């Protein structure tokens, strides 16, 4: 390949990446704004509401677990809930919220202290679920940010049920 | 057109089509795709969102250019590099025992996740296709018909 083509192809590659990224950034500007700048504006309203929800560590989660002082809520899909979950956790997947919200709201009082978790690390489902529950009137919530992987790795109690997930 | 060139053309259009579809399906649901990216537990949260916002668009443009046959070599190289990246990510996910969905075509939608090894086999196929196109268009003007 001649040098001319090499340079031309490098330019094409750079333009492809830059152009594609620019379109993507423009198209998702709202989402990115919420992620990187939770500044003023209509998009920031949910973020401000989230202030009451705090992130807790593995140690704090375990301490609540031992004292049975909070209800554990699994925000992952029910498939994963059935496979394995934190012992005594209830199933309320963020991505299947409509399927479970009825049973959940019927059986869990608004002033129940809850610890929400999902798959840890970059998983945002538990935070999103917390926002939604807050809109529904639930107030006492914490997000266990390490989520199921951290719990499992620590060797803390888990359970599983191959059958249909029980309502809370 | 020579038969060999016809096959090169079909390979190029198939590769482009795959990327157009994959990009097009992911563009409307960047947040879902971000969850898929996050489930690999490789990037920090903000980078997951950034990747999910930009990657589908780059895939779409890359696929379109491949289909129309403009700057084929550069685009084929991009698909090749991307496949290597995807395969490495999936390999590392399998290595770490993560039971996650590939998120390659249907971000966050699948009830039962496709096993990762299925995605790996599929991506190996795509990798082979990209190598084929890259080889077919390796010389000179990478326009229609391919240099033979």
């Amino acid at each position: 390949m001649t040098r001319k083509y090499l340079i031309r192809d490098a330019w094409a590659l750079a333009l492809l990446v830059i152009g594609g990224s620019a379109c993507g950034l423009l198209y998702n500007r709202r989402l990115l704004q919420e992620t990187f700048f939770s500044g003023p504006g209509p998009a920031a309203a949910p973020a401000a509401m989230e202030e009451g929800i705090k992130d807790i560590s593995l140690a704090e989660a375990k301490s609540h677990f031992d004292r049975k002082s909070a209800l554990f809520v699994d925000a992952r899909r029910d498939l994963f809930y059935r496979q394995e979950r934190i012992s005594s956790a209830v199933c309320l997947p963020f991505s299947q919220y409509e399927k479970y919200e009825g049973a959940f709201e019927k059986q869990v009082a608004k002033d129940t202290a809850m610890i929400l978790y999902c798959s840890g690390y970059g998983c945002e489902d538990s935070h999103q679920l917390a926002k939604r529950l807050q809109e529904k009137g639930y107030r006492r919530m914490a997000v266990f940010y390490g989520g199921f992987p951290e719990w499992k790795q620590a060797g803390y109690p888990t359970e599983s049920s191959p059958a249909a997930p029980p309502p809370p | 057109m020579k038969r060999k060139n016809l096959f090169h053309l079909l390979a190029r259009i198939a590769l482009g089509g795959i990327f157009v579809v994959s990009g097009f399906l992911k563009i409307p649901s960047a947040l879902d795709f971000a969850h898929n990216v996050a489930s690999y537990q490789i990037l920090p949260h903000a980078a997951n969102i950034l990747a999910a916002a930009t990657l589908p668009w780059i895939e779409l443009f890359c696929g379109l250019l491949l289909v129309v046959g403009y700057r084929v070599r550069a685009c084929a190289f991009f698909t090749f590099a991307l496949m290597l990246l995807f395969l490495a990510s999936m390999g590392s996910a399998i290595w770490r025992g993560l039971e996650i969905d590939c998120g390659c075509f249907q971000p966050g939608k699948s009830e039962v996740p496709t096993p990762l090894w299925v995605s790996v086999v599929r991506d190996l196929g795509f990798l082979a296709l990209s190598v084929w196109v890259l080889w077919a268009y390796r010389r000179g003007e990478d326009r229609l018909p391919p240099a033979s």
Side-chain angles (χ1 to χ4, degrees):
Chain A
M1 199 193 302
T2 62
R3 190 184 160 80
K4 176 186 138 199
Y5 288 132
L6 204 63
I7 293 172
R8 200 194 69 175
D9 286 350
W11 267 111
L13 208 57
L15 282 176
L16 175 71
V17 173
I18 293 169
S21 302
C23 286
L25 294 177
L26 205 63
Y27 182 80
N28 293 296
R29 57 191 178 282
R30 186 80 180 264
L31 173 67
L32 294 160
Q33 209 170 19
E34 282 175 35
T35 310
F36 293 101
F37 323 95
S38 36
M49 277 181 62
E50 206 191 14
E51 276 176 5
I53 304 164
K54 63 167 192 165
D55 287 357
I56 60 170
S57 65
L58 175 68
E60 286 174 276
K62 181 63 166 46
S63 141
H64 281 290
F65 180 85
D66 291 338
R67 289 183 282 130
K68 295 190 185 341
S69 52
L71 176 71
F72 280 74
V73 180
D74 193 324
R76 302 171 303 162
R77 284 188 303 215
D78 52 10
L79 180 82
F80 299 115
Y81 176 86
R82 284 202 290 277
Q83 276 173 359
E84 200 173 11
R85 58 184 175 268
I86 294 179
S87 291
S88 79
V90 299
C91 180
L92 185 62
F94 176 68
S95 56
Q96 301 162 301
Y97 183 76
E98 287 75 19
K99 188 171 163 189
Y100 290 93
E101 64 173 334
F104 184 86
E105 285 185 38
K106 208 178 287 177
Q107 294 178 44
V108 179
K110 293 280 194 273
D111 61 346
T112 308
M114 288 184 285
I115 295 174
L116 281 47
Y117 71 91
C118 53
S119 306
Y121 308 101
C123 172
E124 281 295 297
D125 282 15
S126 41
H127 285 100
Q128 306 280 3
L129 182 66
K131 276 187 206 170
R132 192 167 288 179
L133 287 175
Q134 203 167 41
E135 286 162 14
K136 297 277 176 186
Y138 291 93
R139 284 285 169 266
R140 302 175 59 204
M141 281 176 291
V143 171
F144 166 33
Y145 200 65
F148 186 76
E150 200 181 10
W151 185 270
K152 171 95 173 152
Q153 201 173 12
Y156 292 156
T158 63
E159 60 183 18
S160 57
S161 56
Chain B
M1 192 190 292
K2 284 186 208 162
R3 171 173 285 199
K4 194 175 76 178
N5 286 354
L6 182 68
F7 280 127
H8 290 340
L9 177 74
L10 289 178
R12 193 195 78 206
I13 290 176
L15 185 66
I18 289 163
F19 270 75
V20 169
V21 170
S22 142
F24 191 75
L25 288 175
K26 281 183 285 200
I27 282 174
S29 44
L31 195 59
D32 281 340
F33 181 46
H35 285 155
N36 286 119
V37 180
S39 66
Y40 283 88
Q41 301 171 17
I42 293 173
L43 299 172
H45 175 57
N48 289 328
I49 302 266
L50 210 56
T54 53
L55 195 60
W57 283 88
I58 303 178
E59 285 184 349
L60 178 70
F61 288 150
C62 185
L64 285 174
L65 289 179
L66 280 170
V67 170
V68 299
Y70 186 72
R71 296 290 185 260
V72 174
R73 200 163 38 226
C75 292
F77 179 77
F78 181 78
T79 61
F80 172 74
L82 203 60
M83 280 306 141
L84 285 186
L85 186 73
F86 288 168
L87 283 167
S89 312
M90 287 191 276
S92 110
I94 291 174
W95 177 260
R96 287 175 291 157
L98 300 179
E99 287 177 16
I100 56 175
D101 191 65
C102 155
C104 305
F105 287 97
Q106 277 210 308
K109 292 277 163 61
S110 44
E111 277 286 307
V112 179
T114 318
L116 271 183
W117 67 266
V118 175
S119 309
V120 168
V121 171
R122 189 181 54 196
D123 277 15
L124 281 173
F126 295 165
L127 185 73
L129 199 59
S130 71
V131 171
W132 181 358
V133 175
L134 203 53
W135 181 255
Y137 290 80
R138 68 191 178 280
R139 272 195 293 255
E141 284 290 329
D142 49 355
R143 293 188 190 219
L144 247 174
S148 51

